[in-house]
Amino acid sequence: MGDSNDVSRTFRALVERADRKFARVRDVSSYGRGPCHYFQKVFKAYTKLWKFQQENRLKLVESGLQRWEIGEIASRIGQLYYGQYTRTSEARFLLESYIFYEAILNRGYFRGAKGSPKDLSLRYKELRFYARFLIVSLLLNRWETVQFIVDRFRALVDDCKATFRNDFWTTSFQNTNFKEWKQVLQEISRFMKLDTAFTNIRPLRYCAMFDSYPASLPYVARFHAKKVLRVRDALLTSYHRNEVKFTELTLDTFRMLQCLEWEPSGSFYQKRPVDSNENGSLNDQSGVSGLIDINLAVDMTDPTLPPNPRKVILYRPSVTHFIAVVATICEELPPDSILLIYISASGKADQSNAYQMETFGASRKSLNMKVVSQTSNEHNRSLPETPVHDKEDSSGCFGNYLWLGPRGTGGSNNLHPGDIIPFTRRPLFMIIDSDNSHAFKADKMALYDIGHILHGAERGEPAALLLSPTRPAFRSPSCVDLTLNGSQFTFFLTAPLQAFLQLVGLSPPDIDSNVYNNADNVLSTAFAEWEMILCTSTCLDLVWAQNLSDPFLRRLIIRFIFCRSVLSLFCPPGDNDQYLPDCLPHLPDSVSPHSEAMQSSVLRLANSLSVAKCFHFEEM
């Protein structure tokens, strides 16, 4: 008995020591490359704790160890691995986190012993565990697991509401926590309504099998003689009212985050069927038998892939916080590196929910256009009734900014293009997705105020800019639920074929798998051709030439060319600038929407899906 007590005391001491170290790193900033050796100390503490409980499990149980305590330790280790993923973007940490969370779920560590009275605090731990596991499963695209956890989550919330309804001590849970967990359920349910049927066809991550075109690689290599730049860091930020999100991950930042990662090719990454046992838990198919192996996923890293770019996600930052993060990343950016900045935000505050879109005729002869107004919560992006440079705001400026702030606050929430100028001493690749993206264009009006321009005012390295249209356009706006589909421009950059289908009003049930695969092949062939044209161009701006060396940026540029060509041909001829994306500096005419190569490729794609009547092709 004395031996068991000694083991128990040692175990409690190890738990306290590990928890103290955990508290010090839990809230550490996710950005910055500075050395943080303390993380190694925390992992070492939990590794020692985990091995001790493995080796002394029977004695610990005899001295009163509860199953939820083992689950709490495993959950902390899962949080540590996930935290390391957010700071490094290394996939192995995400996989480690998933393994621990999956084992906790399979073994029901937080479910309590059969026949024992239900404990609200234990249920609260289980709810928090589900929320954390959902994030990791989303990032790994384990949609079956996500759905399973959501069902368990919903059942647990309902059970808590029914079981503890009359308990005096659960008043706060009923009035506060219950509403919070209900909101979590609503968020993940909205997030899950995005079109998961397409996510299983082609990964959003960079896949060498689909996204690499060997014929152009020798021509890409010619840029290496000048300067080789790589995306080592990316800042993804979003600030919209009522945007689709789960925790602090919005639908658009989720897509862009995945787009900036490598798709592992190893057999370990294949999606596995998720079945349930008789007791309702997931079958343990992870290869983890008995106790969890804390180093299992080390052997699951794909050795053939380079490291992912580090990504920082800012959800609804203030302007000053955004600038501070950019400054920190730029200060620590490695040599020969590019910082990618993705901003999804509106150009004005106090927006209404009216989202205007153009409905374009189905044939060249039918050019009657209707302006369709429909209520939408999608990012709550209102559209200016007049061009953004034609109407002054109360401060006397012409609205050349993005709005990062809550409703009804002042100009301190305006992010001007000029705010980025100090950071152009390092190479920047910027994606601006906004109804006021053209604020980043250097027009005649903005030239009178250096604070309102970026292109042409850089302090060292010319920035590359991809600018979204100021208005979206769809063939059938009534069939597009903007609250669930996210930004059209971001969709084109991250899932181009799916975005094309959405544009022309097609959905998965409408398309035969053979037709879809044929369209996918047509698009892949077009991308290979366009990449060759771009890489062999003799009038390519040096900014784009440097960016083409990076596979992630090269893919984004090609998809931008596709988006611009498709929307240009989709809109009737005339004044349609507000429906077209733009880029600075300009790309060569050989990849313009009016070039034969662009039009013929889009025509082949449209014919493969029998939607050529939606476009306005020039005589070729």
Side-chain angles (χ1 to χ4, degrees), residues 552-570:
F552 292 111
L553 299 186
R554 190 164 65 247
R555 185 172 69 158
L556 286 171
I557 294 168
I558 295 298
R559 289 176 173 184
F560 169 84
I561 293 171
F562 173 67
C563 175
R564 185 176 62 174
S565 299
V566 167
L567 292 177
S568 177
L569 295 170
F570 181 75

Side-chain angles (χ1 to χ4, degrees), residues 65-311:
L65 180 70
Q66 301 295 313
R67 286 181 58 80
W68 67 264
E69 294 181 90
I70 302 299
E72 189 83 349
I73 298 171
S75 180
R76 288 285 176 89
I77 296 173
Q79 291 178 63
L80 282 173
Y81 278 123
Y82 176 71
Q84 282 296 83
Y85 165 75
T86 62
R87 295 175 182 91
T88 65
S89 294
E90 292 187 34
R92 65 187 180 93
F93 291 125
L94 194 62
L95 290 166
E96 288 275 19
S97 181
Y98 183 90
I99 289 170
F100 272 83
Y101 286 150
E102 185 181 46
I104 293 170
L105 183 67
N106 292 337
R107 293 163 190 145
Y109 281 131
F110 291 119
R111 299 183 66 183
K114 292 184 179 180
S116 61
K118 294 184 178 180
D119 184 346
L120 180 60
S121 62
L122 189 56
R123 301 283 74 78
Y124 192 76
K125 292 178 184 294
E126 189 172 8
L127 286 168
R128 285 185 295 180
F129 157 69
Y130 284 149
R132 295 180 182 122
F133 194 11
L134 279 172
I135 282 287
V136 174
S137 300
L138 276 175
L139 292 174
L140 286 172
N141 294 321
R142 305 292 177 94
W143 295 106
E144 299 91 346
T145 302
V146 170
Q147 186 58 61
F148 183 88
I149 300 172
V150 168
D151 293 340
R152 291 284 294 272
F153 198 118
R154 182 178 293 106
L156 183 58
V157 171
D158 292 341
D159 181 67
C160 289
K161 183 179 179 181
T163 303
F164 304 104
R165 185 186 304 274
N166 299 318
D167 191 335
F168 173 78
W169 296 106
T170 64
T171 301
S172 61
F173 180 88
Q174 292 292 330
N175 295 336
T176 304
N177 292 334
F178 176 74
K179 294 180 181 179
E180 293 176 356
W181 292 123
K182 187 175 181 180
Q183 182 178 352
V184 171
L185 274 174
Q186 292 172 344
E187 285 185 359
I188 189 61
S189 297
R190 291 180 69 198
F191 207 100
M192 283 290 290
K193 286 182 181 179
L194 67 93
D195 201 349
T196 56
F198 281 128
T199 61
N200 294 322
I201 298 175
R202 171 78 67 91
L204 295 179
R205 291 183 171 93
Y206 191 104
C207 183
M209 181 182 301
F210 299 125
D211 299 310
S212 179
Y213 309 112
S216 65
L217 295 183
Y219 299 96
V220 172
R222 74 187 177 98
F223 300 122
H224 293 184
K226 300 177 182 178
K227 190 176 183 180
V228 180
L229 297 177
R230 289 286 187 270
V231 175
R232 303 290 175 81
D233 288 79
L235 175 59
L236 314 178
T237 187
S238 178
Y239 204 128
H240 292 289
R241 290 169 54 201
N242 301 324
E243 55 193 329
V244 177
K245 71 180 186 70
F246 181 59
T247 63
E248 296 186 350
L249 189 68
T250 69
L251 183 55
D252 288 335
T253 54
F254 169 76
R255 286 170 171 165
M256 191 57 65
L257 179 148
Q258 297 240 311
C259 186
L260 295 173
E261 292 196 347
W262 296 96
E263 174 75 4
S265 57
S267 60
F268 68 87
Y269 201 74
Q270 301 301 316
K271 292 183 174 64
R272 298 164 297 162
V274 177
D275 302 317
S276 59
N277 296 324
E278 293 180 0
N279 62 3
S281 64
L282 290 176
N283 283 332
D284 186 0
Q285 301 175 356
S286 63
V288 187
S289 59
L291 300 174
I292 312 170
D293 182 355
I294 199 169
N295 294 311
L296 178 67
V298 172
D299 299 327
M300 299 173 71
T301 305
D302 193 333
T304 65
L305 297 177
N308 290 323
R310 289 175 67 254
K311 292 171 289 295

